[in-house]
């Protein structure tokens, strides 16, 4: 199978997303898709049918309440922590940092419990910045309720690579949560101290 080129909303730029089996593991809103077959049989490419299936799930994190921010963002209104949930790719969460402490974290209150199915996070490159501003290492966690009254953070995705990718995303199974934490241990593959998250989205159904 070839690569899927996904066109960014409102621009002519495209990026490559890998097709895994019969399912793309990065949910993304798009209008135009291109499939590039790098190799074919001697007589050419023979395609019987191509189907795209869209989900009716919506972004359950859009403009939800952020109950914890480990560092205050810059003063600009377009760079506060809330910009990570506003659905606007022209704003970003640009949190300050230092060489002594490059970690960043925020906790989102979804308002009620959801069966979370997919997630998407747009990095600095998605917003037009250089690829070295992309997040290098982070975890996504959810607060798991304990029947005896305690609570415990559980990791459902962990990433630590130096790939120049404008966005990350994936399929989620078995995560039922109200509180979600983005825990960034290394904010940029180029060594910058601040994080740049242009959007963070969650897709799921209310329980």
């Amino acid at each position: 199978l070839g690569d899927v080129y996904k066109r960014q909303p409102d621009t002519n730029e495209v990026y490559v997303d890998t097709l895994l089996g019969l399912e793309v593991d990065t949910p993304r809103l798009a209008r135009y898709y291109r499939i590039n077959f790098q190799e074919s049989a001697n007589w050419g490419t023979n395609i019987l049918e191509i189907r795209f299936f869209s989900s009716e799930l919506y972004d359950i994190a859009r403009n939800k309440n952020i109950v914890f921010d480990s560092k205050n963002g810059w003063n600009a209104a377009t760079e506060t922590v809330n910009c990570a949930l506003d659905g606007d790719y022209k704003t970003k969460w640009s949190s300050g940092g230092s060489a002594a402490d490059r970690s960043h974290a925020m906790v989102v209150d979804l308002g009620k419990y959801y069966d979370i199915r997919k997630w998407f996070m747009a990095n600095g490159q998605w917003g037009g910045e250089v690829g070295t501003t992309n997040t290098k290492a982070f975890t996504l966690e959810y607060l798991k309720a304990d029947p005896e009254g305690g609570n415990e953070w559980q990791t459902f995705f962990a990433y630590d690579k130096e790939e120049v990718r404008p966005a990350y995303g994936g399929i989620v199974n078995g995560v039922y949560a109200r509180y979600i934490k983005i825990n960034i241990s290394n904010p940029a593959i180029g060594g910058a101290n601040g994080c740049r998250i242009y959007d963070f989205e969650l897709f799921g159904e209310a329980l």
Side-chain angles (χ1 to χ4, degrees), residues 48-158:
L48 296 179
E49 186 176 18
I50 297 177
R51 292 185 178 184
F52 291 91
F53 298 92
S54 63
S55 172
E56 295 181 355
L57 302 177
Y58 64 95
D59 182 8
I60 58 177
R62 178 72 57 84
N63 295 320
K64 290 298 175 63
N65 187 32
I66 296 174
V67 296
F68 174 76
D69 175 15
S70 62
K71 295 182 177 71
N72 291 325
W74 307 111
N75 292 330
T78 57
E79 296 187 352
T80 67
V81 67
N82 300 87
C83 293
L85 305 180
D86 64 3
D88 185 349
Y89 298 131
K90 296 179 182 178
T91 65
K92 63 182 175 181
W93 171 32
S94 182
S95 182
S98 65
D101 183 9
R102 301 176 68 226
S103 64
H104 306 268
M106 75 169 181
V107 176
V108 182
D109 179 3
L110 299 177
K112 56 185 175 182
Y113 281 84
Y114 286 87
D115 177 3
I116 299 173
R117 306 286 184 81
K118 302 176 183 179
W119 64 274
F120 172 80
M121 189 171 82
N123 289 305
Q125 191 179 8
W126 182 266
E129 302 186 49
V130 295
T132 53
T133 64
N134 294 339
T135 311
K136 181 183 183 298
F138 68 96
T139 58
L140 299 180
E141 306 170 21
Y142 70 102
L143 193 60
K144 184 177 181 180
D146 188 320
E148 297 182 358
N151 295 300
E152 181 180 0
W153 287 104
Q154 298 282 334
T155 299
F156 65 89
F157 181 82

